[in-house]
Amino acid sequence: MKMVVAIIRPERFEAVEDALAEKGYIGMTVTEVKGRGEQKGIKLQYRGTTIDVDLLQKIKLEIVVDDKDVDKVIEIICKNARTGKYGDGRIFVIPVEKSVRVRTGELITSDS
Amino acid sequence: MNSGDVAWILTSTALVMLMIPGVGLFYAGMVRKKNVVSMISLSIVSAILAGVIWVLYGYSLAFSGDVGGFIGDLSKILLANVSLDGSDAIPEMLFMMFQMMFAGVTLAIITSAIAERIRFSAFVLFGVLWLTLVYIPFAHWLWGNGWLAGIGALDFAGGIVVHVSSGFGALALAFAVGKRYGYGEHPIEPHSIPLTLIGGSLLWFGWFGFNGGSALLADRIAVNAITVTFIASCFAGLTWMILSWMNGKPGSLGIITGVIAGLASITPAAGFVDIPGAIVIGILAGVICFMALEFRIKKGIDESLDAWAVHGVGGAMGSIAVGIFANPAISGYAGLLHGGFDLLLTQLLAVAVTAVYAFMVTFAIAKAVDYVVPLRVELEEEYVGLDISQHGEVGYA
């Protein structure tokens, strides 16, 4: 199993959520976060002054899927979160050691 | 001078003043949280601009003298000759203050059209021009013995002067400024329903002064105005609630919007109609403004917070309703149902002329401002939000 962690634009979240649900990827954890990429946020220029908006609002999605589904999930997220401009976000894939359903105590070895 | 009348209009002035930040809070809840400071600030600045202009020349141009029925003169510039005493029931200084609040709340309503994308400096320039070229003439036409008053048009508390002007002005401004980035492509949702409910409730409360004070006396007309104001708003809120329930759930945002639609609609009629008239106006407000809002969304027009659908359409409908429901037993004016026909024609003409004037002049002002100072912020500023980009502040840490 892998955890796909995606940092995306807030306004693209619903499109990503709907597209994932359509392909059967229902479970997810969503957090409102702030962050920056290599562009270090946004610089707003005014007459004589510059305002740095260092950290921008983003949405963090965490989805745990089987190894075989990782590329599919990444593709869905990229397709639906992309605007083509700086700040579209990043996706990280992290190995998951163990997964337990709290209600039953059952050890989940596969997501399917 | 009568101390009872003075006390009531002083109170009403304070009540209307509360409506200005009320509009700000009402609107602020409906935008995304990165624009909450901007939205409230636009209303506060509306009060400031109205206050400054009113003192400098606004009150004089609206309410003193007359040049061709179109505008007043400059004889009361800087409030010269505006009396604290006077032989009328209330001092002219108090009338001036009461009217100043109306100018402030009208400019605040129009900020609906530019939510989440206006350059603050452009709004300041726009506000000065709009008050001067749209609001002040309307106030003179209806209330300052201008040409509409001359032909017998009635506007008790601002259905035309306040609501048609700001509503149709907002529609023009929305066309001039353009849609928000991503409008229609991804959801742009209200960030705080409670804030909107607080703002809407403050408006509702303040409206007692808005309509009740417009009698300019503590008399039976004021009592009628307050009574029909609350009754019409309740029936409008109930109607909107039922309509939204039939289409899904009775959302609180819709319920309070229905209340405001009822208030805007009864405003021009509050001193002229009886209770049955108010009930019908309330129900019509709920139905017609609801339909106007759906029409606006269907057409993809980003008049973001619905000043046009609620205030513009509501104010127009209520102003026409005066010509139908005015009861001579209240103030001596007879609408269609009480044997008068001329009043309806006059009201139709007044609404048509003011809607067209408000739309066209507002659009021209917006384009002129845009030429000098771009109306819109840059795309990146819109993305970050106006709180940071225009004010250097955040609403929520």
Side-chain angles (χ1 to χ4, degrees), chain A residues 2 6 8 18 23 28 32 44 52 57 64 68 70 73-75 83 87 105 108-110 112:
Chain A
K2 294 278 193 289
I8 61 170
D18 291 348
K23 296 292 179 189
M28 64 175 66
E32 288 185 21
L44 302 173
D52 280 321
Q57 292 283 347
V64 175
K68 65 179 171 53
V70 167
V73 165
I74 289 174
E75 187 193 330
T83 69
I108 303 169
T109 51
S110 167
S112 54

Side-chain angles (χ1 to χ4, degrees), chain B residues 75-123:
Chain B
S75 61
K76 291 183 179 173
I77 203 162
L78 284 172
L79 304 183
N81 308 315
V82 177
S83 173
L84 275 169
D85 308 312
S87 54
D88 293 334
I90 61 167
E92 189 181 2
M93 192 69 82
L94 179 53
F95 174 73
M96 182 280 299
M97 279 300 293
F98 184 61
Q99 289 296 337
M100 181 198 284
M101 299 308 162
F102 276 61
V105 77
T106 309
L107 185 58
I109 292 168
I110 209 173
T111 62
S112 155
I114 49 178
E116 308 196 284
R117 58 207 187 278
I118 190 73
R119 190 181 304 274
F120 186 73
S121 52
F123 174 73

